[in-house]
Amino acid sequence: MENLLNEQLSWWNFGVFSFWAVVLLVIVLGYVTYAIYFERKILGWMQLRHGPTRTGPLGLLQTVADVAKLLIKEDTIPRKAEQTLFKLAPIIMFIPSFVVLATIPYTSSWFFADLNVGMLYYAALSGISTIGVVLGGWASNNKYALLGGMRSAAQMISYEVPLVISVTGVIMMSGSLNMRTIVAAQEGAFWHWNFLPQIVGFIVFIIAAVSELNRTPFDLPEAESELVAGYHVEYSGFRFAFYMLGEYVYTFAIACLTTVLFLGGWHAPLPFLDFIPGIIWYLLKFTLVVFFLIWLRGTLPRVRIDQLMSLGWKVLLPLSLVNVIITAVVIELTK
């Protein structure tokens, strides 16, 4: 892949890139399908339940059946909805979740785009999803959907700010927005990884990322007991599936981003373990982050909207700014 980037663009290169893009798409879709399955199983074990057991061996086809059911359901559109925007909103939510994966490196040679502003690219494109959420709520011509869309927009914008600022310390330490350079700066034992010197930024990043994903305890955009399922209350069938798919693809992206920025990417935790391929270490760290997200969902209750906004603006934002200032001072003193 790295050699292809250095060659002149040709139809052959385009075909190879397209092939690997389709492979990544299939992998991500497979991840989404079985991330839902394992989430249900793990939450079941935590809560002394069985989880899916009936559809297929060990219930392995339950999510496949759920997806098939969504795809063949009737596509209903409210008569007074803004039809063009109503149809466009799930696509606006869905597409950026895949496009952001282009700059994430999986090993030193497995990546699609080696952008010098890779982190900026990720932050810019992931913010577009907010438009899809707001449009979905507004175009539905439903007051509950509109309320859910406005709450979701407020939450996503509020936590996007500390999320980006929390990464600034990592960028300052590595001296680059390029994700491969950020991973290269963490080479060595695990105490060289960014989660230790940037522990404040790491904690802020994890909390803000969970809120960006709309997952428990910050799943207020879909608080069924309050909002009748939130901004997508009027969506059914495959359009509803687009929203759900976008959210789970973002869990894939956030787990990858956490691994790259704070957990050393493909580097082994100790030098003598370097004989194990880097992709194995990457997948282990990725799996650990995904398990942590599931663990949170099975442990913490949903917070109130005032608690959510106060945490974002009064706690996480000041902490992320303090982290940037301390990082700048330390870098200046150690020159």
Side-chain angles (χ1 to χ4, degrees):
M1 188 68 71
E2 188 173 7
N3 293 333
L4 285 172
L5 289 173
N6 296 325
E7 294 178 8
Q8 187 174 1
L9 184 62
S10 65
W11 284 108
W12 167 253
N13 288 353
F14 175 77
V16 172
F17 272 117
S18 299
F19 170 77
W20 284 111
V22 172
V23 170
L24 179 62
L25 176 64
V26 171
I27 290 173
V28 172
L29 291 177
Y31 159 81
V32 170
T33 301
Y34 285 97
I36 296 172
Y37 168 79
F38 282 109
E39 180 166 15
R40 294 168 74 176
K41 292 294 282 188
I42 292 170
L43 290 176
W45 293 333
M46 289 180 176
Q47 299 165 356
L48 300 181
R49 298 183 289 105
H50 291 292
T53 57
R54 299 290 182 182
T55 310
L58 303 176
L60 284 169
L61 297 179
Q62 182 61 60
T63 307
V64 177
D66 291 339
V67 172
K69 178 187 71 173
L70 281 174
L71 293 179
I72 63 176
K73 265 190 168 184
E74 181 184 3
D75 177 31
T76 60
I77 300 178
R79 183 168 57 88
K80 294 187 178 181
E82 180 63 49
Q83 301 221 0
T84 302
L85 295 179
F86 185 87
K87 295 174 183 177
L88 192 61
I91 299 173
I92 295 175
M93 171 72 179
F94 172 73
I95 291 179
S97 65
F98 274 105
V99 178
V100 296
L101 301 178
T103 59
I104 293 177
Y106 304 98
T107 69
S108 58
S109 57
W110 289 16
F111 57 90
F112 282 91
D114 188 26
L115 296 182
N116 289 331
V117 289
M119 190 59 231
L120 192 61
Y121 170 91
Y122 182 98
L125 280 180
S126 62
I128 296 176
S129 298
T130 308
I131 300 174
V133 169
V134 175
L135 279 183
W138 181 82
S140 297
N141 194 29
N142 179 307
K143 60 184 178 183
Y144 294 109
L146 177 61
L147 179 60
M150 296 305 292
R151 281 176 55 153
S152 301
Q155 174 177 336
M156 296 172 77
I157 293 170
S158 298
Y159 280 81
E160 186 81 23
V161 177
L163 179 74
V164 174
I165 297 177
S166 66
V167 178
T168 305
V170 172
I171 296 169
M172 293 167 66
M173 290 182 64
S174 60
S176 175
L177 286 163
N178 185 298
M179 293 196 188
R180 289 179 68 211
T181 305
I182 291 173
V183 177
Q186 300 176 74
E187 187 174 4
F190 69 89
W191 52 82
H192 294 141
W193 299 353
N194 287 329
F195 81 96
L196 283 175
Q198 286 290 309
I199 185 64
V200 175
F202 178 60
I203 294 172
V204 172
F205 178 86
I206 290 294
I207 296 173
V210 173
S211 181
E212 281 286 295
L213 294 172
N214 297 332
R215 291 182 61 87
T216 307
F218 306 120
D219 58 338
L220 292 176
E222 300 159 14
E224 297 90 348
S225 58
E226 302 173 47
L227 297 173
V228 199
Y231 56 88
H232 46 53
V233 63
E234 294 289 359
Y235 284 91
S236 63
F238 74 95
R239 300 187 200 280
F240 177 80
F242 267 118
Y243 273 118
M244 293 298 99
L245 180 60
E247 288 190 13
Y248 270 91
V249 173
Y250 268 124
T251 65
F252 182 94
I254 284 294
C256 288
L257 197 62
T258 306
T259 302
V260 166
L261 296 178
F262 294 99
L263 301 180
W266 53 84
H267 295 308
L270 294 170
F272 71 88
L273 295 173
D274 282 341
F275 67 92
I276 299 175
I279 189 64
I280 301 297
W281 290 116
Y282 189 97
L283 290 176
L284 285 173
K285 298 169 188 177
F286 171 88
T287 304
L288 179 65
V289 175
V290 174
F291 174 77
F292 176 74
L293 294 175
I294 297 173
W295 189 6
L296 279 183
R297 180 172 181 177
T299 305
L300 300 177
R302 179 182 295 145
V303 300
R304 298 195 314 262
I305 184 66
D306 60 314
Q307 295 171 330
L308 175 81
M309 301 305 286
S310 294
L311 177 65
W313 291 108
K314 296 181 180 180
V315 179
L316 298 187
L317 180 58
L319 276 179
S320 61
L321 291 172
V322 168
N323 180 63
V324 171
I325 295 170
I326 293 175
T327 302
V329 170
V330 171
I331 291 174
E332 187 63 30
L333 291 176
T334 54
K335 279 186 178 179

